[in-house]
Amino acid sequence: MPTAPPVTGRRRLAVCDLGSNSFRLVVFTSQDGWWRRTDEIYQPVRIGEGMAATGELGAAPMRRALETLEVFAHFCSASGLESDEIDAVATSAIRDAANQEAFLSKAVKRAGIPIRVLSREEEATYGFLAAVNSTTLADGCVLEIGGGSLQLVSVVGRHAAESASWRLGAVRMTERFLDDDGPATKKQLDRVRAHTRDRLERAPWLGRSGDRLVGVGGTVRNLAVAAQREADLPSGGVQGYVISRETIDGLVDKLASLPRADRGKVRGIKPGRADVILAGAVVIQTVMEVGGFPALETTEAGLREGVFFSRFLADRGDPPVFDDVRSASVLNLAAQYGVDPDHTAHVAKLALSLFDALAAAGLHPGDPMERELLWAASTLHDIGVAVDYDDHHKHTRYLVLSAGLPGFSPREVALIAQAARYHRKGMPSAGPLAALLRKGDNAVLDRCAVLLRLAEDLERSRDQAVRDVAVAVDGDAVTLTLDAEGDVSVPRWAARRENELFSRAYGRKLLVA
């Protein structure tokens, strides 16, 4: 398994994402090999409001935008961010506005922040970078929808192969086709679909992009939250959540049946997005139909993460992507909380050694995905100490679930979090996360939890005295023989206490020689 990333100095980047629907400032901090968002300001500016009719930015939207940019400028100044640590990027509405130059001039004069207007190709590229660096997408398609535009990128071997952009954003399509207060009629929805299909003819490659579709943007995230609520699933974020085409169809039908003012009452739909969510959902629905995609995978990363990754991973080559998103996300989370890398790496080594030996003995299937979940739980099991040593196993569970692990599904994150939660004591249970698991996962959880617990026991003195462990199966018993240096009475004592859970997981008694 990979080792921890190299140590680097502390750096910050404030990305100001000036979208057609909302303006968002996100501060990313990177240090000692990790990165994370450390601050954020959000404002639903709706700068693209009214552009469908006039082609220009209106006076009221520009006023809201300038006021928000002034707030951003004061924030950056108070936070000590230098000019080269600020990247303000504008997308569809500002890009397409006939009075773009006048607005940009006012923005620089009012806030002093230069704005980089992204081309359609650049916007698509940043959406692509956000998707491939937060999911395991290697071949498929990236969909990014904002207030003003839709971008699609065909991905082959984690490289962008084809891309296209259209003025099919949620705000723009609402103003053009669904700009009334009542329920949407079939005729209105058919017009949205027909218009979208007509534009998608420019992307004949869409139907050849495979089965996997990853969605980027606030509309996608909000639909994912609504889908989770509809399914009564626990909400720990929508990273990696997969929405079936049937679920999208159901959400479209439900939203369309309601007056615009009531769409925000649908569980999970944000009131501030309720008036434009239907148009965005219908565009997504049409893309899935035309492309033959059975489902839409959600990522919480967006254009701003794409901008950050373009800098943070600049030395990784072209395109700037992680070699392995799953391992990178685990190591990133571990590094953020200052775990003892020697200890956690050795716990992971011992846990995986036990996993491999027991698989070779025929006591479990030896599934590589299960092995990876065990490695992740072993690497992260101590991050809760950053909160407090007492109950740190519970704090670890909370941190894993709260932070999420890009590249892993919600089910996998639940298994990792619960395995880490039970690395000290107690009988493992899915608890409130049971709805995320599938048949056989309770056995997976038992196996991962007991192997992590045994590995932690054998490394109890944090001195790597137990170098390895041999496994022997004899009838109804499994004997562990320690390859150790010096006194290992503490590891041996600790490991012998795990017989109850080991018996439940493997159907054998545990002996420690």
Side-chain angles (χ1 to χ4, degrees), residues 15 81 127 188 191 243 270 292 316 410:
V15 179
L81 287 155
Q188 286 176 311
R191 288 178 65 201
I243 319 171
K270 290 183 177 180
R316 301 293 180 99

Side-chain angles (χ1 to χ4, degrees), residues 149-484:
S149 63
L150 165 76
Q151 284 71 232
L152 293 173
V153 181
S154 174
V155 180
V156 178
R158 301 191 76 208
H159 285 66
E162 305 274 0
S163 68
S165 176
W166 302 266
R167 297 174 180 177
L168 296 172
V171 173
R172 199 184 297 264
M173 294 295 280
T174 297
E175 292 185 353
R176 182 164 182 176
F177 296 108
L178 301 174
D179 195 19
D180 59 50
D181 295 331
T185 66
K186 181 179 183 301
K187 184 176 180 180
Q188 286 176 311
L189 297 177
D190 286 346
R191 288 178 65 201
V192 176
R193 295 182 181 113
H195 181 77
T196 304
R197 285 193 202 99
D198 180 64
R199 297 303 182 271
L200 293 177
E201 288 181 359
R202 281 180 39 213
W205 43 264
L206 184 60
R208 304 190 298 269
S209 296
D211 293 335
R212 194 165 176 193
L213 179 67
V214 173
V216 175
T219 296
V220 174
R221 293 191 296 271
N222 203 188
L223 289 172
V225 173
Q228 285 182 329
R229 298 291 189 277
E230 186 77 12
D232 289 323
L233 293 175
S235 179
V238 297
Q239 179 65 44
Y241 184 71
V242 177
I243 319 171
S244 70
R245 192 159 148 190
E246 292 75 19
T247 298
I248 291 287
D249 292 344
L251 285 170
V252 167
D253 290 344
K254 177 178 286 190
L255 292 166
S257 70
L258 298 171
R260 177 157 48 174
D262 290 341
R263 290 172 194 157
K265 298 177 183 177
V266 173
R267 289 200 302 164
I269 298 296
K270 290 183 177 180
R273 195 177 290 276
D275 59 334
V276 298
I277 191 71
L278 175 59
V282 175
V283 170
I284 292 170
Q285 179 189 49
T286 308
V287 171
M288 295 176 74
E289 176 191 329
V290 172
F293 299 108
L296 175 69
E297 181 179 339
T298 311
T299 176
E300 293 188 355
L303 180 139
R304 46 208 165 269
E305 278 79 13
V307 173
F308 169 73
F309 287 136
S310 71
R311 295 196 186 194
F312 183 67
L313 301 174
D315 61 347
R316 301 293 180 99
D318 185 18
V321 297
F322 290 112
D323 295 331
D324 182 332
V325 171
R326 287 161 71 96
S327 64
S329 66
V330 171
L331 294 172
N332 182 56
L333 185 58
Q336 288 179 41
Y337 291 101
V339 298
D340 178 348
D342 292 335
H343 170 68
T344 54
H346 198 64
V347 167
K349 174 188 172 184
L350 293 173
L352 296 181
S353 179
L354 287 166
F355 180 93
D356 294 341
L358 291 167
L363 296 193
H364 68 87
D367 179 16
M369 300 297 284
E370 181 178 330
R371 189 179 192 274
E372 187 178 18
L373 299 182
L374 174 59
W375 168 77
S378 301
T379 302
L380 296 171
H381 75 278
D382 267 352
I383 63 173
V385 175
V387 178
D388 190 48
Y389 178 81
D390 287 343
D391 288 335
H392 71 265
H393 51 304
K394 296 179 183 178
H395 302 320
T396 292
R397 174 188 179 276
Y398 168 80
L399 293 175
V400 170
L401 293 175
S402 299
L405 292 171
F408 292 87
S409 70
R411 165 189 166 264
E412 290 173 322
V413 173
L415 286 168
I416 292 166
Q418 291 302 98
R421 154 69 177 86
Y422 287 100
H423 84 265
R424 297 180 71 195
K425 57 187 178 181
M427 299 303 282
S429 164
L433 305 178
L436 292 171
L437 304 191
R438 62 193 188 199
K439 185 177 180 180
D441 279 349
N442 286 324
V444 172
L445 176 57
D446 280 352
R447 290 193 294 266
C448 286
V450 74
L451 295 186
L452 171 53
R453 192 181 295 184
L454 280 168
E456 173 79 349
D457 290 338
L458 298 177
E459 171 59 359
R460 191 68 184 82
S461 300
R462 292 177 173 260
D463 57 1
Q464 294 82 61
V466 178
R467 294 185 292 258
D468 204 350
V469 56
V471 172
V473 181
D474 183 13
D476 65 348
V478 172
T479 301
L480 306 185
T481 302
L482 310 186
D483 174 8

Side-chain angles (χ1 to χ4, degrees), residues 486-506:
D487 182 13
V488 289
S489 55
V490 171
R492 185 176 287 113
W493 160 79
R496 284 173 174 167
R497 298 181 304 164
E498 312 302 350
N499 186 62
E500 182 182 4
L501 179 54
F502 189 88
S503 296
R504 188 170 100 170
Y506 290 102

